[in-house]
Amino acid sequence: MAVKSGYKQTEVGVIPEEWEVKPLQEVGKFAKGKGLLKEDIKTSGRIPAIPYTALYTDFSELLNYDHIKWFVDDEAQTYIANEPCVLIASSSNMAANTGKASALTRTTPVAIGREVIIFKTALDCGYISFLLSTAQYRQTTLSLARGTTIKHLYPATFKNYRIALPSISEQRAISTALSDMDALLGALERLIAKKRDLKQATMQQLLTGLTRLPGFLGQWEVKTLGELFNFSGGYSASRDQLSNEGHCYLHYGDIHGAKKTCIDTSVDYEDIPKLDISLKQISLGSLLEDGDVVFVDASEDDDGTSRHVVVVNKDRLPFIAGLHTIIAKSKTDELAHEYRRYCFQTAAIRKQFFFYAVGTKVSGISKSNIPKLTIPVPSVPEQTAIAAILTDMDAELVALEQRLAKTRTLKLGMMQELLTGRARLL
């Protein structure tokens, strides 16, 4: 394929003619951090410190570094950086963190801990850190990492990396543009976290009756789940038996992994695993109907014992509850369907799940114990009003998360264009 005018083919791809290609060892020097054991790090002190775990955060967090929360007093026990540099996490048990690079722009002393590779250069450190974070270099870095459970990298890993180099002014312009995108992503993430905390606080107030909505008075009844529901178990099928064909199947692992507390057969149909089986083999108690609540009966941690989803199945599609699930089917109409999405998420309910959970490595609750749990029940109109407020908060969170995802995609596109010179800022 012909290279367009003003560009040239190089070993790192097609780049602008005026850009150079050089190995990292020719444009800087490598060093290793040292010290910073857990007992050395304090929450306050004279010298700010960067243990290797700090590099697992996004670039923007290190670029301004106003949030620093680690310090040391004895600078002789660690590596002190006094100039801008690129910091690379040289050790991690997670691929996503192995070799993660960040730019440190401070010119005041900073203690750099062990398991951190330091790259000192006169180039723009932000530009280098973004370049090392592209898919091309990440793939190479991960392929060179050594170790099984924990992956390790060394300065020698990076010395021969050949990189495309625009002028220093263009490097800075690219770094600034991408750092601005990181700042926007960070602001969105903080806003989402704040909205989630607000929703949790609102739920605790409204679902326990500590705060009452205008127009609603009177005492709430307290009911056992056994008074409100009949309970049954699911049909056992392994993940290997599931495919894209057959009837919808709710695997308990998908409840644990769900980001929401409802599953809608019309909205989520394509994402729901299928089991190709005759319905004659499935008991009526294992077929999920609109408004059913499905709890998991096993979890590897305490928080998972109360995991559940509410089924939205207005089209009455065949939907099979799976292995390790407990299906709650209404005995009465005392709980509004929309309210069920929230009423099992309070701290009081989770505490009851923990109390009745049994097991050591795997904990769970049984069909004989779950009916004993109690829940406060307001009137249906008050339930509906509460659910409407929480649903609006959920909708706002979904919109923000979609915006965050689009911004991340936009940043990846900008990196691809700017770091290859396809788009120019100067």
Side-chain angles (χ1 to χ4, degrees), residues 66-345:
D66 293 331
H67 75 304
I68 193 163
K69 56 185 178 182
W70 302 282
F71 296 88
V72 292
D73 286 327
D74 186 0
E75 61 185 88
Q77 299 300 315
T78 186
Y79 183 101
I80 301 296
N82 294 287
E83 57 190 316
C85 53
V86 180
L87 305 179
I88 305 169
S90 68
S91 178
S92 176
N93 60 357
M94 293 180 61
N97 292 328
T98 304
K100 195 164 186 180
S102 293
L104 181 66
T105 57
R106 293 172 65 105
T107 55
T108 53
V110 179
I112 309 296
R114 59 181 182 173
E115 308 302 338
V116 177
I117 296 171
I118 303 141
F119 181 62
K120 298 180 179 180
T121 179
L123 302 176
D124 184 86
C125 294
Y127 175 82
I128 300 298
S129 69
F130 284 117
L131 197 63
L132 293 178
S133 302
T134 60
Q136 174 185 352
Y137 289 99
R138 290 291 296 146
Q139 184 176 2
T140 301
T141 298
L142 292 176
S143 70
L144 295 174
R146 297 291 177 259
T148 52
T149 303
I150 298 178
K151 298 292 186 180
H152 298 279
L153 298 165
Y154 306 92
T157 306
F158 300 92
K159 286 184 176 179
N160 294 317
Y161 277 23
R162 300 183 70 80
I163 60 170
L165 290 174
S167 67
I168 189 68
S169 59
E170 190 165 4
Q171 291 175 37
R172 288 170 180 159
I174 292 170
S175 176
T176 298
L178 295 176
S179 296
D180 287 345
M181 288 298 293
D182 271 342
L184 177 58
L185 285 167
L188 282 171
E189 288 168 349
R190 289 190 291 275
L191 179 59
I192 289 171
K194 183 178 179 180
K195 294 289 186 182
R196 282 180 180 150
D197 289 343
L198 177 60
K199 180 196 164 188
Q200 287 298 320
T202 303
M203 286 173 59
Q204 294 304 319
Q205 292 292 312
L206 295 180
L207 296 173
T208 60
L210 291 175
T211 298
R212 302 292 294 275
L213 296 176
F216 295 102
L217 301 170
Q219 293 294 315
W220 291 4
E221 291 188 81
V222 175
K223 298 273 188 176
T224 66
L225 296 194
E227 293 177 286
L228 299 170
F229 297 100
N230 289 313
F231 294 93
S232 56
Y235 179 84
S236 178
S238 68
R239 182 71 81 176
D240 291 341
Q241 293 175 264
L242 306 181
S243 66
N244 295 322
E245 298 181 356
H247 303 297
C248 291
Y249 183 90
L250 184 56
H251 192 277
Y252 78 101
D254 295 326
I255 300 176
H256 279 296
K259 292 184 177 181
K260 55 184 182 178
T261 56
C262 70
I263 184 166
D264 191 325
T265 55
S266 62
V267 175
D268 304 314
Y269 182 82
E270 296 298 330
D271 297 324
I272 300 173
K274 311 296 187 298
L275 180 64
D276 194 3
I277 190 173
S278 170
L279 292 179
K280 293 180 180 179
Q281 301 180 49
I282 310 298
S283 67
L284 289 177
S286 297
L287 288 174
L288 299 174
E289 300 173 308
D290 191 47
D292 287 352
V293 186
V294 186
F295 298 90
V296 296
D297 75 354
S299 173
E300 294 181 357
D301 57 78
D302 287 342
D303 287 339
T305 57
S306 61
R307 293 288 295 175
H308 65 280
V309 292
V310 178
V311 175
V312 179
N313 188 9
K314 298 187 183 300
D315 295 330
R316 306 191 66 162
L317 296 179
F319 194 0
I320 304 167
L323 173 70
H324 292 308
T325 62
I326 298 175
I327 305 102
K329 292 181 174 291
S330 296
K331 280 183 178 179
T332 73
D333 57 2
E334 294 173 80
L335 285 182
H337 286 194
E338 296 82 2
Y339 187 72
R340 298 177 194 188
R341 301 181 188 182
Y342 305 103
C343 64
F344 302 110
Q345 297 183 51

Side-chain angles (χ1 to χ4, degrees), residues 360-397:
T360 51
K361 292 184 178 180
V362 177
S363 63
I365 193 164
S366 66
K367 288 196 293 290
S368 60
N369 279 330
I370 198 169
K372 300 174 185 176
L373 276 62
T374 61
I375 185 172
V377 181
S379 67
V380 170
E382 188 169 3
Q383 292 177 37
T384 303
I386 292 171
I389 290 173
L390 298 176
T391 299
D392 287 344
M393 299 181 83
D394 274 341
E396 184 180 15
L397 278 168

